[in-house]
Amino acid sequence: MSETTAAETGAPTGGVRTLLRLEGLALFVGMTVLYGVWDGSWLLYVLCFLVPDLSFAAYLAGPRIGAIVYNAAHAYLAPMVLMTIGFASAEPLVLSIAMIWLAHIGIDRALGYGLKYAKGFGYTHLGRIGKFSS
């Protein structure tokens, strides 16, 4: 039996993978610069930046639950809703948290940490990560 290539599984390769990682980097830089222009508290930024990574703990319940919780903390949906609420309500703290959260997601994507599949932590929409990555 031959090994399945990344392209056959639908994982991005080559220029597409590079573009997706650059988009992540742009999101990280953009949200961090916007946060600075917004004059947000850098202490809050430091304290909140790694909070989404607490979702790793859900992997203790197994890869399926881990992937669901990790993806909920690392998808754009929730922080974009939070940002919209922050703008609509003119709440600076809500906007700050949304920008920090999006910056976190951006750097993760830039580093190749994509949304997870239930097969295991190393299986992401950006391709495999870890010791078996391509």
Side-chain angles (χ1 to χ4, degrees):
M1 182 187 297
S2 67
E3 255 187 70
T4 308
T5 66
E8 291 170 334
T9 63
T13 59
V16 172
R17 184 176 181 166
T18 301
L19 181 60
L20 290 171
R21 287 178 141 200
L22 287 173
E23 284 180 341
L25 182 60
L27 180 63
F28 167 71
V29 171
M31 287 297 107
T32 302
V33 168
L34 182 60
Y35 189 79
V37 170
W38 174 254
D39 203 25
S41 162
W42 290 107
L43 177 60
L44 179 67
Y45 188 96
V46 169
L47 291 175
C48 291
F49 190 78
L50 294 176
V51 167
D53 284 341
L54 296 175
S55 63
F56 287 135
Y59 276 91
L60 295 172
R64 182 178 172 278
I65 298 298
I68 290 168
V69 174
Y70 179 93
N71 290 345
H74 288 84
Y76 300 133
L77 182 63
M80 290 304 298
V81 167
L82 196 62
M83 184 171 269
T84 303
I85 291 168
F87 275 119
S89 63
E91 287 293 330
L93 180 60
V94 174
L95 281 169
S96 293
I97 291 169
M99 285 185 263
I100 297 165
W101 194 352
L102 286 166
H104 173 91
I105 294 169
I107 197 66
D108 273 6
R109 301 280 172 86
L111 295 172
Y113 292 95
L115 298 174
K116 309 299 183 210
Y117 291 103
K119 187 172 182 180
F121 183 80
Y123 296 88
T124 81
H125 85 287
L126 295 176
R128 293 286 309 269
I129 58 170
K131 64 181 179 178
F132 300 110
S133 64
S134 54

